[in-house]
Amino acid sequence: MSNPRQPAHPIDPLFTERWSPRAFTEEAIPESQLMSLLEAARWAPSAYNIQPWRFVFARRGTDAWTPIFDSLVEFNRMWSQRAAALVVIVSAREAVFPGKTEPVPNASHAFDAGAAWASLAFQAQLSGWSAHAMAGFDADRLRTAIALPEGYAIDTVVAVGRKGDPAVLPEGVRARELPSDRRPLAESAFVGRFGAQG
């Protein structure tokens, strides 16, 4: 079956083949495989190479899983219960920049953490796994569950698993279990000023 997502300009198929499923098998992920995904995330670019991201992870079936899983909203718990692992991506709000001795606010901490998430997601795709980032969680409960220091922001929780049969999902969710399209590039990329077309 051909990929229904077709780019308007030449790109590597990795970018159109990767998507965020909710249907997972219950296959366990070996710790070494999960470490490979986190290793890819570690190599993401960041401003001044500050690397503000940190990863708190738990594989399903371990003691670390339940506190993180329980912090998710009910909808996300419904489908992510079959995931092999959950990864909380957080980032330091402050950094000591080159030539400085004191920490100051790092305006790009969330942007840089997003680069780490993308690196994890693409490595998952290359490795035959899938990753789905979530914003639906109780931030206060999760912060307590993972003993997160005050200076860190919670950016996302990522479910990692082997893509499964959509039949495991409730009917209303099952219908959405396919790769989503993107708006045309001309609606996102502008020449010289916002909204200007070439």
Side-chain angles (χ1 to χ4, degrees):
M1 177 177 153
S2 63
N3 186 348
R5 299 167 114 188
Q6 296 301 318
H9 302 277
I11 57 173
D12 192 280
L14 171 66
F15 296 97
T16 54
E17 291 173 358
R18 190 223 62 82
W19 60 286
S20 300
R22 290 186 179 91
F24 290 120
T25 68
E26 294 185 326
E27 180 179 342
I29 187 168
E31 185 171 344
S32 61
Q33 182 66 73
L34 183 56
M35 291 303 103
S36 290
L37 306 188
L38 297 177
E39 180 69 12
R42 181 174 80 95
W43 285 96
S46 65
Y48 294 96
N49 195 30
I50 293 293
Q51 305 169 53
W53 52 73
R54 302 292 187 274
F55 314 112
V56 180
F57 63 91
R59 292 188 300 151
R60 194 183 68 252
T62 66
D63 291 341
W65 169 273
T66 300
I68 297 172
F69 179 78
D70 286 350
S71 75
L72 302 178
V73 298
E74 183 178 352
F75 176 79
N76 286 337
R77 286 196 311 267
M78 173 271 298
W79 61 264
S80 66
Q81 64 185 323
R82 292 180 184 83
L86 295 173
V87 179
V88 184
I89 300 179
V90 305
S91 54
R93 292 190 183 102
E94 294 185 334
V96 179
F97 289 97
K100 306 294 182 185
T101 58
E102 297 295 324
V104 295
N106 178 4
S108 67
H109 71 90
F111 178 81
D112 293 343
W117 142 247
S119 297
L120 184 157
F122 288 127
Q123 184 62 44
Q125 176 70 25
L126 289 168
S127 304
W129 294 86
S130 293
H132 187 129
M134 299 173 270
F137 52 84
D138 180 323
D140 291 336
R141 184 172 184 174
L142 181 55
R143 179 174 292 278
T144 299
I146 64 173
L148 188 64
E150 188 56 40
Y152 287 84
I154 302 173
D155 297 297
T156 190
V157 180
V158 180
V160 175
R162 197 76 81 179
K163 199 178 301 173
D165 186 341
V168 302
L169 299 171
E171 187 174 341
V173 180
R174 197 178 314 146
R176 295 171 20 202
E177 190 67 0
L178 43 86
S180 56
D181 205 355
R182 297 295 186 268
R183 76 172 63 90
L185 186 58
E187 294 179 15
S188 296
F190 311 117
V191 180
R193 53 194 290 266
F194 193 90
Q197 298 299 316

